Amino acid sequence: MGRHISLFILPLFLFFPTIIQHAKPAMSLPLSTNLRWIVDEKGQRVKLACVNWVSHLEPVVAEGLSKQPMGMIAKRIVSMGFNCVRFTWPLFLVTNDSLASLTVRQSFQSLGLLESIAGIQANNPSIIDVSLIKAYQAVVSSLGENNVMVILDNHISTPGWCCSSFDGNGFFGDQYFNPDLWITGLTRMATLFNGVTNVVGMSLRNELRGPNQNVSDWYRYMQKGAEAVHSANPDVLVILSGLSYDKDLSFIRNQPANLTFSGKLVFEVHWYGFSDGQAWVAGNSNQVCGRVANDMMRTSGFLVDQGYPLFASEFGVDLRGTNVNDNRYLDCFLGVAAELDLDWALWTLVGSYYLREGVLGFNEYYGILDWNWCDTRNSSLLERISALQSPFRGPGLSETKLHKVIFHPSTGLCVLRKSLLDPLRLGSCTDSEAWRYLPQKTLLVMGTYFCLQADESGTLAKLGIICSESNSKWEMIADSKMHLSSKLRNGTSVCLDVDLDNTIVTNSCKCLNEDNTCDPRSQWFKLVDSTRSRSGGKASLNFDSILDLPGKEFFWNLLGASI
Ligand SMILES: *[C@@H]1O[C@H](CO)[C@@H](O)[C@H](O)[C@H]1NC(C)=O
Ligand SMILES: *[C@@H]1O[C@H](CO)[C@@H](O)[C@H](O)[C@H]1NC(C)=O
Ligand SMILES: *[C@@H]1O[C@H](CO)[C@@H](O)[C@H](O)[C@H]1NC(C)=O
Ligand SMILES: *[C@@H]1O[C@H](CO)[C@@H](O)[C@H](O)[C@H]1NC(C)=O
Ligand SMILES: *[C@@H]1O[C@H](CO)[C@@H](O)[C@H](O)[C@H]1NC(C)=O
């Protein structure tokens, strides 16, 4: 991977900022919905590729401002390929006058965080003596100046780390969760940011949960909250969380939310490795992925088929790469997120917290920035999510006809060939081969007669033109439906795989079930609907012109195709 990482990082960090800021026009806001898609004023899809930025812990100041100037952080967010921030706030910031009137300095002083005061004075002196809400607004403006969209997320009532079932912040009627006060707070926030163009949405309440949660109160209060936000600020998307830590929206299937307005409603879902305890470590990865992804489709994924945008507003992993549960989950999540082409927000931007759960300078191993908020903690995650940062499809985007790309979650790359005579390999999904997956299970390069084949040696994948044999038929197998499997003529099953230099090969199918120690993820692929592959139109021209050449047998022989 070393070579690929360096190839990737160079363009990402050197050229991305300039491309995004100067070449890519800002989307025309506000946003609205068109069936399951979020679209801009022109009706073109805008995919939310967000990162969560925390401002709801005890100091009620956006994390990291003692380490870096906010403008630098905003630029870093853009250079990492995100277009949006889900920016958290605690309800009491706008409903408790004594909290709201504190300055940043006073807030840190009251917690004894003197080092953070010095850090803010050095890096963000303009906010040290302003009120907490003014500091929050300053961060939103700074993001706006850098063309970053913002979703205001009411994360909790009481400032502090979230969430547990018994923290009094979980559901309407809990100790710190008075529904009327919540409506007041939402209305204040919506009003405050009315006319602030880059604020495109509001998450009404994070992770509803706890012993008091119930469906009837969900409708009662969420509908009220949605109406309040919409009347105070009709521009923003109204984003609703499900029950059980935002895992469960299954009740919407039978009873839609009853709202007086349309074109603004989005649902959000959270999905982590630990959402299923230690299931990923304890079980076989194919079986766990199959089960968990089916659960997700049943409890929230179905919403896209019902015509609602679904925002996976929290997902993430321990970026040290040592948490096996997280590692196995991530490939499954990325496969589903690519297949459904979901809007999403990574947890989290935060490299370290001023104070979390009593720990000063708490190091956030799920944070994409390092402890100093200076460098990225682990660029391999950025490489893997980069394909998901742009839309695969959606209104107003089609560059080529609808086709499939063969996406490989564990690298974030897609199957392509650099030139006609090169072997199939993984590369940027932007340059992906455009495939058609036919009912008879062949995978054709669009606009050509070439299909994906398992070489009879059982070790190579190649393109050929005799596409009727078993070695040209590819089924998605295992509970995960993520192995692309074919049969050699002698009946042996093989699975598509990737070797060390990212060449596409075939191998015997790995750990399809039972075994919980082996790792199938190099063989995990998703066929993703896309209209964006560059090669779609161009490749077909090349192939077609070769098919007409007098010396075509020569080319086909080179390709390993038998005529
Ligand atoms: C309001 O905020 C202040 C300052 O943080 C705090 O001491 C007080 O307990 C809060 N009041 C309520 C009702 O939450
Ligand atoms: C829902 O929860 C609230 C608060 O605990 C309770 O008052 C209400 O009776 C519950 N409703 C149902 C239908 O369970
Ligand atoms: C939907 O809400 C409106 C008023 O907001 C009400 O008149 C109507 O009865 C509600 N419909 C359902 C199915 O609850
Ligand atoms: C980054 O993540 C990868 C993949 O999980 C892991 O192998 C690697 O050790 C991590 N690197 C660092 C510096 O944590
Ligand atoms: C089928 O062919 C492959 C590749 O030539 C070989 O490895 C395998 O052992 C053969 N299987 C049978 C059942 O003959």
Side-chain angles (χ1 to χ4, degrees), residues 455-459 488-492:
D455 185 274
E456 282 301 322
S457 73
T459 56
L488 305 182
R489 281 191 209 101
N490 70 6
T492 302

Side-chain angles (χ1 to χ4, degrees), residues 223 227 255-260:
Q223 287 172 179
E227 296 291 349
Q255 187 184 345
N258 179 14
L259 301 174
T260 59

Side-chain angles (χ1 to χ4, degrees), residues 403-425:
H403 56 263
K404 301 280 186 191
V405 297
I406 306 177
F407 176 66
H408 188 247
S410 81
T411 54
L413 300 174
C414 287
V415 177
L416 53 81
R417 54 171 46 202
K418 282 254 159 27
S419 78
L420 196 57
L421 305 181
D422 281 342
L424 289 166
R425 52 196 289 78

Side-chain angles (χ1 to χ4, degrees), residues 123-138:
N123 287 294
N124 290 284
S126 65
I127 61 154
I128 187 74
D129 288 314
V130 307
S131 65
L132 295 178
I133 188 69
K134 288 262 187 271
Y136 188 91
Q137 287 174 284

Side-chain angles (χ1 to χ4, degrees), residues 27-48 149 200 235 237 263-264 266 309 343 394-397:
M27 52 285 287
S28 47
L29 303 173
L31 302 179
S32 56
T33 65
N34 172 4
L35 294 172
R36 60 147 298 189
W37 308 109
I38 294 170
V39 296
D40 67 9
E41 283 280 85
K42 297 177 199 138
Q44 177 165 323
R45 179 172 187 205
V46 173
K47 179 167 178 168
L48 299 178
M149 297 181 285
V200 297
D235 285 343
L237 297 171
K264 292 291 180 184
V266 172
D343 300 276
L397 298 174

Side-chain angles (χ1 to χ4, degrees), residues 423-472:
L424 289 166
R425 52 196 289 78
L426 292 176
S428 160
C429 290
T430 322
D431 302 325
S432 171
E433 224 60 64
W435 302 89
R436 292 174 62 206
Y437 190 43
L438 302 181
Q440 59 268 34
K441 310 282 185 202
T442 46
L443 274 162
L444 281 181
V445 176
M446 211 162 77
T448 77
Y449 303 101
F450 289 95
C451 61
L452 182 67
Q453 287 186 338
D455 185 274
E456 282 301 322
S457 73
T459 56
L460 266 181
K462 58 172 194 177
L463 292 181
I465 54 160
I466 309 290
C467 301
S468 54
E469 304 277 342
S470 67
N471 68 331
S472 304

Side-chain angles (χ1 to χ4, degrees), residues 152-173:
L152 310 175
D153 164 51
N154 175 218
H155 207 73
I156 194 166
S157 299
T158 329
W161 185 249
C162 187
C163 301
S164 97
S165 296
F166 302 98
D167 60 8
N169 285 272
F171 200 69
F172 306 104

